[in-house]
Amino acid sequence: MPAASRPSSGAASTDARRPVGDPTDGAATSAAEKAAIKAWKVDLRELGRRAGSMREWEKTIPARPGWGVEMIGVPEGAPVDLHLRLESVMEGVLVSGTIDVPVTGQCARCLEPVEDTFELDVQELYAYEGSTTEATSGEDEVRRIEGDQLDLAPLVRDTVVLTLPLSPTCTPDCAGLCADCGERLDDLPADHSHEVIDPRFAGLAARFANLTDDADGAQPGPGSTDTEEN
Ligand SMILES: [Zn+2]
Ligand SMILES: [Zn+2]
């Protein structure tokens, strides 16, 4: 009976109710996102596999998200300058050179914004699929070449994150904030201080002030008279 084998409207609505995941997830891997990921991949076909062949790789590529530690990092999309040399070796491709990465963050002492550009050296071997190196090393030890492509993003990310200071400072000797008023000590005069009396002694201090007043008032003559008599 064809009518019975057809999916009922009930089944169809069950399908419709099934969690479909976040539809924006799929949309996020849009053409723009794919292009941003692809920008970090080097097509190795031009370089070729002949050991010794070399290629310069000078590019500025927008940073991927998540390249940072708690207080400092590379803003997503910030321009990262790559001055790299790709060299074909027996086991794979050797990537070396420097990368200039803009970083922004917050001073760990005074919370002022911190902005800097790091120039970092890189030297890394990417192993060919099927090479001895690939066979004898873990994926976390030696980076891999996938097909004809080499992904620079993880290398740059790891290099940056390992270099970032856990406690960045606006200046090497930033004095931080005043514990009493919260102002930046470097912006305050050198003798900045607060006369703060511990609340437990506040009453005592007040009594002391009164006693001194009383003593001053009670003594008709100068205290030096007594000393003279002795
Ligand atoms: Zn600071
Ligand atoms: Zn203060």
Side-chain angles (χ1 to χ4, degrees):
M1 279 181 261
S5 63
R6 264 199 353 235
S8 69
S9 60
S13 64
T14 305
D15 271 336
R17 275 198 309 266
R18 242 186 3 213
V20 287
D22 188 356
T24 55
D25 264 2
T29 328
S30 62
E33 179 73 2
K34 279 179 190 157
I37 294 168
K38 191 167 179 274
W40 285 94
K41 299 194 175 178
V42 183
D43 190 327
L44 295 172
R45 281 173 297 187
E46 214 180 294
L47 179 68
R49 281 213 177 198
R50 194 164 48 82
S53 70
M54 200 129 40
R55 188 181 160 198
E56 300 289 330
W57 180 264
E58 298 272 343
K59 275 202 176 194
T60 302
I61 309 177
R64 299 292 300 139
W67 290 0
V69 292
E70 201 178 332
M71 296 200 83
I72 194 164
V74 187
E76 179 180 357
V80 179
D81 289 331
L82 306 172
H83 313 283
L84 300 178
R85 194 216 298 236
L86 310 172
E87 193 181 344
S88 185
V89 293
M90 286 298 286
E91 293 293 303
V93 173
L94 188 66
V95 177
S96 58
T98 58
I99 49 178
D100 302 326
V101 272
V103 295
T104 59
Q106 212 178 16
C107 175
R109 294 182 197 157
C110 74
L111 309 180
E112 282 287 296
V114 172
E115 247 188 80
D116 207 349
T117 299
F118 287 179
E119 188 185 308
L120 307 173
D121 292 325
V122 290
Q123 184 167 44
E124 191 83 4
L125 173 74
Y126 282 70
Y128 285 131
E129 286 174 324
S131 65
T132 314
T133 303
E134 194 201 34
T136 56
S137 67
E139 223 171 300
D140 50 348
E141 296 170 278
V142 182
R143 294 178 201 280
R144 308 297 200 218
I145 291 167
E146 293 151 25
D148 289 321
Q149 286 189 331
L150 176 159
D151 190 358
L152 290 171
L155 168 64
V156 175
R157 179 199 61 214
D158 292 353
T159 308
V160 169
V161 168
L162 283 174
T163 311
L164 289 171
L166 289 175
S167 298
T169 51
C170 58
T171 56
D173 52 358
C174 171
L177 301 174
C178 171
D180 294 316
C181 67
E183 294 292 317
R184 214 172 150 258
L185 287 171
D186 289 347
D187 297 337
L188 295 167
D191 60 349
H192 173 79
S193 69
H194 299 262
E195 262 190 62
V196 180
I197 297 168
D198 188 309
R200 288 169 297 177
F201 301 123
L204 197 62
R207 267 175 60 195
F208 242 98
N210 287 337
L211 278 178
T212 322
D213 288 347
D214 290 350
D216 285 348
Q219 270 185 350
S224 56
T225 329
D226 292 340
T227 349
E228 270 172 4
E229 279 170 5
N230 285 341

